[in-house]
């Protein structure tokens, strides 16, 4: 029995389904360009075997463990580390069995599509995953992971990844990227500049982060001019390791364009820990405009990922730290919030600002009209909670009529779960081909045009937008 339906995510109507199959056949084997993600560069640097199936599929994947947590299973039972080094489950088989016993929770979710794709295409499994098959799955995957062809670099090449970007803080010395470079391996793994820890006054240890930032940049980052110079220096350092983009995960899309005098005063207040919540948001907003100006200087693409109430559970944050499944979407205003930055740089054709959203109500009302007018703006793909078949379809339906295809940037997988990368790109390619097939079947696009767009969405637009 095949674990995967070959026509999954294609239209039900036979004519459109046939067109979708044909389009998908032309793009399914294109190389993967993964311009934004969170895989660990240490994997590629050391090229060690993954420890066990649980460490590959469960413990690092917040899509998986948040669902289990929602049913009362503690993160400690899933091996998620504690900040204080306290006890968590370390027996991979126990974690795996818990995952299998609760796999029914993922029915209808994108996580099931990704996991089953990895089971079938990466590990050659054909039986349905369940408590009954858990041990057999574990043994088979563990046996595979012990083989050289399942090491990170071998899988990278098998997945046909042309380029992948990891994401690092300005406080990161990029030692794993240096190790990759020294190894002589030809896989293209680049970094991306994620400065949240040194642009967000509400980030824990902000003042200490600025001191460390200045040390790494070789400048006094506690002065406004020195702080800006530190960013320029670290951006240049990241570019030397292949970075083509910056990434900004702010709570809101707010931007500001203060005078340098006012910005310096606000920075001094932030450094002293005296900012109100509104002032902290204003400083983050001004720094987006500063980052955009720097992008005009050094060519780095600016990504804005706003609208997440991060680390919503205080208890989980205290025990396990950041990024443990408790980031929740919020309403986001783009039209007014982005105006200060767009007034400053929005008409610059040599600047690329990629907008993401967790507020789908903004697609047709705000984001598509903005990207359909400002040369600097492009729309990032359906992100995070909407990185799903239905989310991707809604994205195309709500943005294409106003922004077209060519004010979007293809697909990025934004994942920590290595084996889900080909699965996620496969879902995106299937959904886009299904959408294009519908346009052809309803007389809005010719077949040759649809084939060209399918190729662009699967490969060229991401490569072009991210300058990879």
């Amino acid at each position: 029995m095949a674990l995967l339906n070959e026509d999954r995510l294609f239209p039900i109507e036979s004519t459109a389904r046939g067109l979708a199959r044909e389009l998908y056949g032309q793009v399914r084997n294109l190389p993967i360009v993964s311009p934004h993600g969170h895989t660990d560069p240490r994997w590629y640097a050391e090229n060690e075997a993954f420890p066990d199936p649980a460490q590959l599929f469960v413990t690092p994947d917040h899509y998986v463990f948040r669902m289990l947590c929602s049913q009362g299973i503690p993160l400690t039972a899933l091996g998620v580390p504690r900040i204080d080094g306290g006890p968590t489950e370390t027996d991979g088989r126990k974690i795996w069995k818990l995952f299998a016993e609760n796999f029914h929770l993922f029915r209808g979710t994108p996580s099931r599509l990704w996991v089953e794709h990895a089971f079938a295409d990466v590990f050659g499994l054909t039986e349905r995953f369940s408590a009954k098959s858990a041990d057999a799955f574990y043994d088979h995957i563990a046996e595979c992971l012990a083989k050289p062809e399942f090491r990170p670099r071998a899988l990278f090449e098998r997945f046909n990844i042309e380029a992948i970007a990891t994401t690092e803080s300005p406080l990161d010395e990029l030692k794993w990227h240096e190790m990759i470079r020294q190894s002589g391996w030809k896989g293209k793994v680049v970094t991306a500049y994620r400065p949240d820890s040194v642009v967000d006054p509400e980030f824990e240890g902000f003042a200490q982060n600025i001191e460390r930032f200045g040390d790494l940049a070789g400048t006094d980052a506690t002065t406004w001019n020195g702080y800006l110079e530190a960013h320029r220096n670290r951006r240049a350092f990241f570019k030397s390791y292949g970075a083509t983009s910056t990434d900004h995960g702010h709570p809101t899309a707010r931007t500001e364009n203060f005078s340098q005098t006012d910005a310096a005063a606000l920075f001094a207040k932030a450094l002293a820990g005296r900012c109100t919540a509104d002032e902290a948001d204003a400083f983050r907003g001004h720094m987006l405009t500063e980052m955009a100006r720097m992008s005009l200087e050094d060519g780095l693409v600016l990504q804005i990922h706003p609208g997440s109430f991060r680390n919503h559970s205080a208890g989980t944050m205290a025990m396990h730290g950041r990024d443990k499944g408790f980031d929740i979407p919020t309403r986001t205003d783009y039209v007014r919030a982005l105006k200060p930055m767009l007034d400053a740089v929005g008409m610059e054709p040599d600047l690329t600002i990629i907008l993401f959203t967790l507020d789908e109500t903004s697609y047709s009302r705000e984001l598509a009209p903005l990207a359909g007018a400002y040369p600097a703006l492009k729309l990032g793909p359906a992100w995070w909670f909407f990185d799903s078949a239905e989310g991707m379809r809604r994205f195309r339906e709500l943005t294409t009529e106003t922004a077209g295809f060519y004010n979007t940037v293809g697909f990025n997988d934004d994942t920590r779960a290595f084996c889900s990368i080909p699965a996620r790109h496969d879902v995106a390619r299937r959904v886009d081909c299904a959408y294009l097939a519908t346009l052809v079947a309803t007389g809005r696009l010719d077949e040759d045009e649809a084939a060209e767009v399918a190729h662009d969405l699967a490969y060229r637009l991401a490569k072009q937008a991210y300058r990879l």
Side-chain angles (χ1 to χ4, degrees):
M1 180 184 72
L3 189 59
L4 301 175
N5 185 322
E6 271 301 307
D7 285 332
R8 61 192 180 279
L9 308 180
F10 290 161
I12 296 174
E13 193 274 322
S14 60
T15 300
R17 173 167 285 199
L19 288 166
R21 283 184 192 137
E22 188 173 334
L23 291 169
Y24 173 70
Q26 297 176 52
V27 301
R28 70 180 302 171
N29 293 320
L30 287 173
I32 287 174
V33 177
S34 179
H36 173 86
H38 299 280
T39 57
D40 189 341
R42 184 174 183 173
W43 297 340
Y44 316 116
E46 296 185 327
N47 199 34
E48 297 290 340
F50 290 104
D52 62 52
Q55 292 296 317
L56 185 61
F57 281 96
V58 183
T59 303
D61 191 343
H62 61 72
Y63 286 89
V64 169
F65 62 65
R66 78 185 304 272
M67 176 65 81
L68 300 175
C69 181
S70 77
Q71 292 290 304
I73 298 171
L75 297 185
T76 51
L78 300 169
V80 178
R82 290 172 46 154
I83 289 176
D84 62 5
T88 62
E89 184 58 69
T90 58
D91 186 325
R93 192 177 292 272
K94 285 185 179 179
I95 296 169
W96 189 256
K97 285 185 175 180
L98 197 55
F99 179 39
E101 289 165 0
N102 291 279
F103 194 62
H104 64 280
L105 299 175
F106 297 93
R107 289 170 180 165
T109 69
S111 292
R112 174 167 173 169
L113 279 175
W114 302 331
V115 168
E116 289 188 337
H117 187 285
F119 286 164
D121 273 26
V122 180
F123 295 101
L125 292 158
T126 57
E127 186 181 353
R128 182 183 293 172
F129 185 50
S130 65
K132 182 179 178 182
S133 62
D135 280 328
F137 270 57
Y138 189 93
D139 292 339
H140 177 80
I141 295 172
E143 182 181 340
C144 288
L145 293 179
K147 299 176 182 177
E149 56 265 37
F150 287 86
R151 297 285 179 96
R153 293 181 188 176
L155 287 176
F156 183 102
E157 292 162 5
R158 178 177 162 190
F159 294 164
N160 198 20
I161 297 174
E162 181 176 309
I164 194 168
T166 64
T167 306
E168 276 77 46
S169 158
L171 306 181
D172 194 301
E173 297 182 15
L174 303 185
K175 68 175 184 178
W176 303 119
H177 286 273
E178 175 63 20
M179 188 181 292
I180 294 167
R181 174 180 288 178
Q182 294 298 326
S183 74
W185 178 56
K186 300 303 182 184
K188 188 171 184 177
V189 180
V190 302
T191 186
Y193 187 72
R194 177 71 176 250
D196 297 1
S197 61
V198 293
V199 300
D200 181 2
E202 295 181 316
F203 204 100
E204 59 269 22
F206 178 72
Q208 292 76 22
N209 293 345
I210 297 300
E211 289 185 17
R212 172 67 175 154
F213 185 46
D215 290 342
L216 289 169
T219 186
D220 180 5
T222 63
T223 70
W224 174 242
N225 288 333
Y227 173 69
L228 295 181
E229 187 62 23
H231 277 291
R232 291 188 178 93
N233 292 349
R234 294 304 284 168
R235 288 166 67 106
F237 179 71
F238 273 57
K239 279 191 70 175
S240 75
Y241 284 92
T244 66
S245 67
T246 70
D247 183 41
H248 307 269
H250 293 191
T252 72
R254 180 177 180 176
T255 64
E256 298 289 355
N257 187 18
F258 298 132
S259 70
Q260 291 299 291
T261 300
D262 289 345
L266 190 55
F267 175 64
K269 201 169 185 179
L271 206 55
R274 294 187 290 105
C275 277
T276 65
D278 183 68
E279 287 171 330
D281 199 37
F283 183 75
R284 290 188 293 264
H286 178 76
M287 286 309 300
L288 283 177
T289 303
E290 292 287 357
M291 292 289 107
R293 289 196 183 99
M294 291 183 194
S295 287
L296 277 170
E297 297 170 3
D298 62 22
L300 293 181
V301 173
L302 175 68
Q303 301 175 93
I304 305 176
H305 285 82
S308 176
F309 190 127
R310 295 180 183 268
N311 311 301
H312 193 273
S313 167
T316 300
M317 174 70 170
M319 179 176 286
H320 296 284
R322 291 178 167 270
D323 305 321
K324 295 301 182 288
F326 280 90
D327 298 345
I328 310 298
T330 62
R331 291 187 297 273
T332 306
D333 165 48
Y334 292 89
V335 174
R336 293 174 180 82
L338 294 174
K339 184 169 171 52
M341 181 180 68
L342 294 177
D343 282 343
V345 298
M347 298 303 292
E348 296 284 350
D350 294 331
L351 175 64
T352 299
I353 300 170
I354 301 176
L355 298 176
F356 293 80
T357 192
L358 290 174
D359 181 0
E360 288 189 306
T361 66
S362 67
Y363 276 148
S364 59
R365 185 185 64 244
E366 301 181 34
L367 289 174
L370 285 166
Y374 282 95
L377 289 187
K378 296 288 185 287
L379 298 185
W383 168 50
W384 206 341
F385 293 91
F386 308 113
D387 180 12
S388 62
E390 297 299 333
M392 293 172 187
R393 178 185 57 79
R394 289 192 296 268
F395 173 78
R396 292 292 173 212
E397 289 176 344
L398 292 171
T399 64
T400 302
E401 290 180 338
T402 302
F405 293 111
Y406 295 96
N407 283 311
T408 68
V409 299
F411 178 68
N412 65 52
D413 48 76
D414 192 28
T415 187
R416 292 172 173 81
F418 188 38
C419 286
S420 77
I421 289 176
R424 291 167 189 250
H425 284 263
D426 184 71
V427 168
R429 292 173 184 188
R430 286 175 178 274
V431 171
D432 283 338
C433 287
Y435 179 70
L436 291 167
T438 302
L439 295 186
V440 173
T442 53
R444 289 177 283 173
L445 206 61
D446 291 336
E447 285 189 49
D448 63 322
E449 292 178 300
E452 184 177 336
V453 174
H455 183 279
D456 290 341
L457 297 179
Y459 177 73
R460 188 182 68 82
L461 286 180
K463 188 177 175 73
Q464 176 181 295
Y466 284 89
R467 303 171 184 176
L468 287 167

